[in-house]
Amino acid sequence: MHELALTEEICEIIAKSAQQEGLRRVERVSLVVGELSTALPEAIEFSFYAIIPNTSLEGARLDITVEPLSLDCRECGLTGFYCPPPKLVCPSCQSREIDIKAGQHLYIDFYEGE
Amino acid sequence: MCEGHDHKEQKRVNLATSVLAANDSLAQENRDIFKDMLVVNLVSSPGSGKTSILERSLLELRDEFSLAVIEGDVFTDRDAQRIKKTGVSVIQINTGGACHLDAKMIRKGVDQLDLDGVDLLFIENVGNLVCPAGFDLGEDFKVTVLSTTEGDDKPAKYPAMFKKSAAVLVNKVDLKEALEIDLKALDAELFEVSPQATVFHVSAKTGEGFAGWLDWLKAEIKKKQAIKLG
């Protein structure tokens, strides 16, 4: 349940930024969670709504976009393909020499407020 | 807009900020502190034998190398007490509830350890096969311990940890007959989930397989020292 620690970090980053931007209220937070980011979207959501009451993020809505894996094959050069985790294989040459280009990120895309 | 009405402006702030940015930047600071030594982050489920593997590894390496250990647990200093008996300097970190170590906790531990001249620093993470995978501590690499008593199906169930490991130690192989575990099937699964990892079959109890693991570690220490000199 490291999602609680991650979500505290999310709220802290946004609260700090909102203060710098002179926003009194945060209404919506857009978060990108990679399919292989090690964080569970449901657990982040649960933590988020548990943390925000009585903070500057109170009443904000959390939107999570799951970022699917995007893979490159080091063997045959195929790029941008998908393979369901956990066993990553190149669909063209069956190699396991694979680079993960996307799907491991965990980042705050943007937030909205007034 | 009516006069006297509060002017409220909806604003979108594009952050594109990694949630782990603060941890990652602290990890980078740790990495600068660690530039003269190899740092191994040992991860696994609870009870896989991380501390037993450490005890045997430290005893085998202590005459040749200068060693240090950071022990991570939710509570108690039991592991640090065990490590102390090997004569290696050790500091215990208690997370007080958190399921993983983070870069800030490591920094606190480092401040209490004399790392001058240390060749190899082991960090024993909190026993947990999920959460520690997400946190960079500034280590050179992670090593996952998987014991035969956990079954041969764990790599595919907990892929992130295995994918991020430079090596996997399959521990308690002295029990393989009693457990009827298929080590070949386990190796095949490890290759499918974590093809980058070097796999060692070991027993911290009998010492079986330790020669290969320790030779590999020594080679990694030399590689790191070559970078430092080069």
Side-chain angles (χ1 to χ4, degrees), chain A residues 55-101:
Chain A
T55 75
S56 58
L57 270 75
E58 175 147 28
R61 188 180 92 216
L62 177 67
D63 291 333
I64 295 179
T65 308
V66 175
E67 177 193 60
L69 280 175
S70 177
L71 310 167
D72 288 356
C73 178
R74 258 181 268 163
E75 203 74 41
C76 73
L78 186 69
T79 58
F81 62 90
Y82 179 81
C83 170
K87 300 176 180 179
L88 307 179
V89 189
C90 172
S92 168
C93 72
Q94 317 306 319
S95 168
R96 296 184 185 281
E97 297 282 310
I98 287 183
D99 289 324
I100 301 174
K101 286 293 170 196

Side-chain angles (χ1 to χ4, degrees), chain B residues 23-204:
Chain B
N23 184 74
D24 290 348
S25 105
L26 280 171
Q28 196 49 52
E29 284 181 33
N30 290 347
R31 204 161 265 123
D32 292 340
I33 296 170
F34 298 152
K35 65 183 188 309
D36 292 343
M37 69 198 79
L38 185 75
V39 180
V40 177
N41 179 3
L42 211 52
V43 291
S44 80
S45 315
S48 67
K50 286 190 297 303
T51 314
S52 301
I53 284 174
L54 262 184
E55 285 171 319
R56 187 176 275 274
S57 302
L58 297 172
L59 291 174
E60 298 270 351
L61 293 168
R62 66 179 180 185
D63 293 337
E64 205 177 328
F65 299 99
S66 172
L67 310 166
V69 176
I70 295 176
E71 276 291 342
D73 276 299
V74 178
F75 289 112
T76 83
D77 67 346
R78 287 175 184 169
D79 283 359
Q81 293 301 338
R82 283 173 61 183
I83 297 301
K84 248 180 214 158
K85 290 183 186 149
T86 67
V88 171
S89 54
V90 56
I91 192 85
Q92 177 80 50
I93 296 174
N94 283 139
T95 65
C99 48
H100 58 273
L101 291 174
D102 64 29
K104 198 191 220 169
M105 299 177 199
I106 294 302
R107 182 58 174 277
K108 270 194 200 156
V110 163
D111 287 345
Q112 299 169 62
L113 263 179
D114 181 12
L115 290 178
D116 203 29
V118 165
D119 302 302
L120 172 60
L121 169 67
F122 279 110
I123 299 169
E124 184 180 336
N125 217 311
V126 177
N128 179 330
L129 209 46
V130 182
C131 310
F135 294 82
D136 184 6
L137 306 179
E139 74 271 20
D140 288 284
F141 47 74
K142 293 180 173 64
V143 171
T144 300
V145 178
L146 174 69
S147 61
T148 53
T149 48
E150 295 164 56
D152 55 20
D153 62 345
K154 293 302 173 287
K157 285 186 174 177
Y158 302 90
M161 194 70 95
F162 291 95
K163 282 188 194 305
K164 290 188 176 182
S165 293
V168 175
L169 299 181
V170 179
N171 190 27
K172 307 185 190 177
V173 290
D174 52 301
L175 296 175
K176 67 185 173 207
E177 271 90 28
L179 296 166
E180 295 178 357
I181 187 162
D182 186 347
L183 286 177
K184 271 190 187 151
L186 175 58
D187 283 347
E189 175 140 309
L190 279 170
F191 180 68
E192 286 181 308
V193 174
S194 49
Q196 82 293 341
T198 308
V199 179
F200 301 98
H201 293 176
V202 302
S203 165

Side-chain angles (χ1 to χ4, degrees), chain A residues 21 27 86 108-109 111 113, chain B residues 10-13 15-17 163:
Chain A
E21 298 285 339
E27 287 171 349
I108 306 161
D109 189 10
Y111 66 90
Chain B
Q10 180 82 16
K11 190 170 170 185
R12 172 180 286 206
V13 180
L15 275 182
T17 299
K163 282 188 194 305

